[in-house]
Amino acid sequence: MRDTSHTGTTARRARSRSSRLSIVLALSASALLSVVGPAHAGPAKDPLPADIPDYQAALDAVKSTAVRNAVCRFLRTPLPTGTGGPVQSIPDTAEPCRGLPTFTIKDPLALNEITPGFVAGTARPLPTEAIKLTQLVSSLSATVDGRTATVMLAPTRGGGWHLAAVRDGDSDAAYAGKATLGTLVFTEPQIRGWYQLRLNTVEPLNDQAREGLNGQASVSLADYQQLVKARYADKLPGSEYDTTGYSSGFGPQREDDGGVSASTPLLVGGSGAALALVSGTVVLRRHRRASTG
């Protein structure tokens, strides 16, 4: 008779590994989906994502004529070159999309950031206290005359979402889309670093994040907290660093129906300039990177 004990042992080990993996993924998903707080506790109707409140309102916003027209006006504005002054507002027209190649705006994705309490060290190194949903980002389905763009939505007081800005490039949406079941993607906006959180392990997704982790392939959430605390704890709102205009990413979000929060991250190009459409006006802004010294 053939000895089947080894085969049986192997099968039992495989089932055990599968069971442990299922438990890990379930616990991870449960923890990460609770990051955004009690307002998200209610189950969302499939296929709407459970981690974004009022998601149908966000869908309605990015599919609206007003947002599409804003994107078209933005795409018609030339990109800044050199170190020139502010880009002038372009005339509004009844049909700003006329003559542009066809495109659609993709469904919004969550833009998560580290919280002020996590940076200050007053919050525990837990996903529910370290990360918060701040905005939604949507990219375009195709390039338009060689351009890409990101639509940024901010939460509206009383519920829903509104257009906060249109920004050149689509890297935010590309990184936000890397979130998977059991993981959470978040940004450290001061250095434009993008990370993936897997249970309590932080992994870098771009070069800025790898630099932010001192070249390490991964660190614990507790160790990552010590890194950002060292970088920014003295640069939070109200500090001298903040009042001189260097702070980015930790200011309170404005929840009115127009405008954009001062903490909205802007795309930083080689010249340190960013082109964005804010409150209907296309502007060129300067961005100073937070010092890590």
Side-chain angles (χ1 to χ4, degrees):
M1 178 180 294
R2 190 176 65 178
D3 184 4
T4 60
S5 61
H6 176 72
T7 302
T9 300
T10 301
R12 285 193 296 274
R13 287 176 178 173
R15 286 195 297 271
S16 177
R17 285 196 298 268
S18 176
S19 176
R20 288 197 300 270
L21 178 60
S22 297
I23 292 172
V24 168
L25 288 177
L27 290 175
S28 178
S30 175
L32 295 177
L33 289 178
S34 66
V35 163
V36 290
H40 302 212
K45 294 182 179 179
D46 190 40
L48 302 184
D51 59 337
I52 299 176
D54 300 320
Y55 192 71
Q56 187 59 55
L59 284 174
D60 293 342
V62 298
K63 305 303 180 185
S64 69
T65 300
V67 168
R68 183 178 178 81
N69 286 346
V71 172
C72 289
R73 292 188 63 238
F74 176 81
L75 292 171
R76 288 186 180 280
T77 304
L79 286 170
T81 58
T83 57
V87 176
Q88 298 299 315
S89 176
I90 61 175
D92 197 6
T93 60
E95 298 182 63
C97 297
R98 175 180 288 183
L100 288 178
T102 301
F103 69 90
T104 58
I105 303 174
K106 295 181 181 180
D107 292 351
L109 300 169
L111 192 157
N112 301 295
E113 297 182 10
I114 48 180
T115 65
F118 179 73
V119 173
T122 57
R124 295 174 297 175
L126 299 173
T128 51
E129 298 185 29
I131 312 298
K132 68 175 180 179
L133 173 69
T134 57
Q135 292 184 319
L136 303 181
V137 291
S138 302
S139 59
L140 308 185
S141 62
T143 59
V144 178
D145 293 337
R147 296 270 300 277
T148 57
T150 296
V151 173
M152 308 189 72
L153 302 180
T156 302
R157 181 179 291 116
W161 299 86
H162 64 270
L163 177 65
V166 183
R167 195 178 66 203
D168 199 64
D170 58 4
S171 59
D172 283 352
Y175 284 117
K178 292 182 180 294
T180 61
L181 178 64
T183 70
L184 181 76
V185 169
F186 68 93
T187 181
E188 181 185 332
Q190 286 73 13
I191 62 171
R192 300 292 296 166
W194 283 90
Y195 305 85
Q196 189 169 54
L197 179 62
R198 194 183 308 272
L199 287 179
N200 284 307
T201 299
V202 177
E203 301 170 354
L205 291 178
N206 64 358
D207 290 341
Q208 294 92 324
R210 279 183 280 276
E211 182 182 346
L213 297 186
N214 296 326
Q216 300 178 83
S218 65
V219 300
S220 69
L221 189 58
D223 287 342
Y224 175 66
Q225 183 176 32
Q226 295 307 307
L227 291 173
V228 295
K229 182 179 179 181
R231 283 199 282 268
Y232 310 122
D234 61 343
K235 303 175 178 67
L236 291 169
S239 66
E240 180 181 356
Y241 190 87
D242 172 56
T243 56
T244 53
Y246 282 90
S247 185
S248 170
F250 296 124
Q253 294 285 335
R254 272 172 41 188
E255 295 182 338
D256 50 41
D257 290 334
V260 61
S261 167
S263 68
T264 299
L266 297 176
L267 179 66
V268 180
S271 64
L275 184 67
L277 177 67
V278 181
S279 299
T281 301
V282 180
V283 296
L284 179 67
R285 291 188 173 179
R286 303 291 165 191
H287 180 89
R288 288 176 285 182
R289 176 172 168 172
S291 169
T292 58

